[in-house]
Amino acid sequence: MTSTDGSSSRGPYAKGVQRRQEILDQTLEVVASRGIDGTSLRAIGEAIGVSHAALRHYFSSREALLVEVLRERDEIGDGVLVQDHVILGKA
Protein backbone atom coordinates (compact mmCIF):
# COMPACT_ATOMS: atom_id res chain seq x y z
CA MET A 1 0.00 0.00 0.00
CA THR A 2 1.34 3.44 -0.86
CA SER A 3 0.27 6.87 0.20
CA THR A 4 -0.60 9.66 -2.22
CA ASP A 5 2.98 10.91 -2.25
CA GLY A 6 4.25 7.50 -3.39
CA SER A 7 5.91 6.49 -0.13
CA SER A 8 5.05 3.28 1.63
CA SER A 9 2.68 3.66 4.57
CA ARG A 10 3.43 0.24 6.05
CA GLY A 11 5.73 -0.03 8.98
CA PRO A 12 7.83 -2.99 10.00
CA TYR A 13 6.07 -6.30 10.50
CA ALA A 14 5.59 -7.33 14.13
CA LYS A 15 7.33 -10.66 13.52
CA GLY A 16 10.38 -8.88 12.09
CA VAL A 17 10.49 -6.43 14.98
CA GLN A 18 10.27 -9.34 17.43
CA ARG A 19 13.02 -11.28 15.63
CA ARG A 20 15.28 -8.22 15.61
CA GLN A 21 14.76 -7.83 19.36
CA GLU A 22 15.56 -11.51 19.93
CA ILE A 23 18.80 -11.07 17.98
CA LEU A 24 19.70 -8.04 20.11
CA ASP A 25 18.95 -9.88 23.36
CA GLN A 26 20.93 -12.96 22.36
CA THR A 27 23.82 -10.90 21.02
CA LEU A 28 24.04 -9.08 24.33
CA GLU A 29 24.57 -12.44 26.04
CA VAL A 30 27.27 -13.39 23.51
CA VAL A 31 29.06 -10.06 23.95
CA ALA A 32 28.84 -10.39 27.74
CA SER A 33 30.50 -13.80 27.64
CA ARG A 34 33.03 -13.29 24.82
CA GLY A 35 33.64 -9.55 24.83
CA ILE A 36 33.20 -7.22 21.88
CA ASP A 37 36.51 -8.20 20.29
CA GLY A 38 35.48 -11.86 20.06
CA THR A 39 32.25 -11.22 18.21
CA SER A 40 32.29 -11.21 14.43
CA LEU A 41 28.90 -11.36 12.70
CA ARG A 42 29.58 -14.98 11.79
CA ALA A 43 30.54 -15.86 15.38
CA ILE A 44 27.41 -14.14 16.69
CA GLY A 45 25.28 -15.92 14.12
CA GLU A 46 26.75 -19.30 15.00
CA ALA A 47 26.30 -18.67 18.74
CA ILE A 48 22.64 -17.66 18.44
CA GLY A 49 21.64 -19.93 15.55
CA VAL A 50 21.10 -17.25 12.93
CA SER A 51 22.71 -17.06 9.51
CA HIS A 52 25.10 -14.30 8.56
CA ALA A 53 22.60 -13.22 5.90
CA ALA A 54 19.82 -12.92 8.50
CA LEU A 55 22.00 -10.72 10.68
CA ARG A 56 22.79 -8.53 7.66
CA HIS A 57 19.06 -8.30 6.92
CA TYR A 58 18.46 -6.61 10.28
CA PHE A 59 21.81 -4.82 10.74
CA SER A 60 23.99 -3.31 8.04
CA SER A 61 27.26 -4.21 9.78
CA ARG A 62 28.81 -5.68 12.90
CA GLU A 63 29.26 -2.16 14.21
CA ALA A 64 25.58 -1.32 13.65
CA LEU A 65 24.56 -4.46 15.56
CA LEU A 66 26.93 -3.74 18.43
CA VAL A 67 25.81 -0.10 18.68
CA GLU A 68 22.21 -1.29 19.01
CA VAL A 69 23.21 -3.91 21.59
CA LEU A 70 24.99 -1.28 23.67
CA ARG A 71 22.05 1.11 23.32
CA GLU A 72 19.71 -1.64 24.57
CA ARG A 73 22.04 -2.38 27.47
CA ASP A 74 22.12 1.27 28.43
CA GLU A 75 18.32 1.55 28.29
CA ILE A 76 17.97 -1.53 30.49
CA GLY A 77 20.56 -0.12 32.87
CA ASP A 78 18.82 3.26 33.01
CA GLY A 79 15.52 1.54 33.81
CA VAL A 80 17.11 -0.42 36.65
CA LEU A 81 18.69 2.74 38.04
CA VAL A 82 15.35 4.56 37.95
CA GLN A 83 13.61 1.64 39.69
CA ASP A 84 16.34 1.46 42.34
CA HIS A 85 16.12 5.20 42.86
CA VAL A 86 12.35 5.04 43.39
CA ILE A 87 12.57 1.94 45.62
CA LEU A 88 15.17 3.62 47.81
CA GLY A 89 12.84 6.60 48.23
CA LYS A 90 15.05 9.10 46.48
CA ALA A 91 12.48 10.14 43.90
Side-chain angles (χ1 to χ4, degrees):
M1 213 151 102
T2 58
S3 64
T4 56
D5 67 358
S7 65
S8 176
S9 62
R10 292 189 331 197
Y13 290 101
K15 203 172 183 182
V17 171
Q18 179 182 354
R19 185 63 180 136
R20 184 179 188 277
Q21 187 61 51
E22 290 170 358
I23 290 170
L24 287 172
D25 294 342
Q26 293 171 338
T27 301
L28 180 57
E29 294 174 16
V30 172
V31 169
S33 67
R34 296 184 182 184
I36 286 179
D37 292 333
T39 53
S40 67
L41 277 180
R42 291 194 193 283
I44 291 168
E46 288 174 9
I48 67 175
V50 175
S51 71
H52 181 261
L55 289 175
R56 291 298 305 260
H57 173 76
Y58 292 103
F59 304 96
S60 61
S61 65
R62 172 185 176 268
E63 289 74 21
L65 172 58
L66 294 175
V67 165
E68 288 301 314
V69 165
L70 294 174
R71 184 175 291 133
E72 286 278 319
R73 184 209 56 194
D74 290 348
E75 287 178 11
I76 291 168
D78 288 347
V80 170
L81 289 175
V82 168
Q83 286 177 341
D84 288 348
H85 194 72
V86 171
I87 290 170
L88 295 173
K90 298 181 180 181

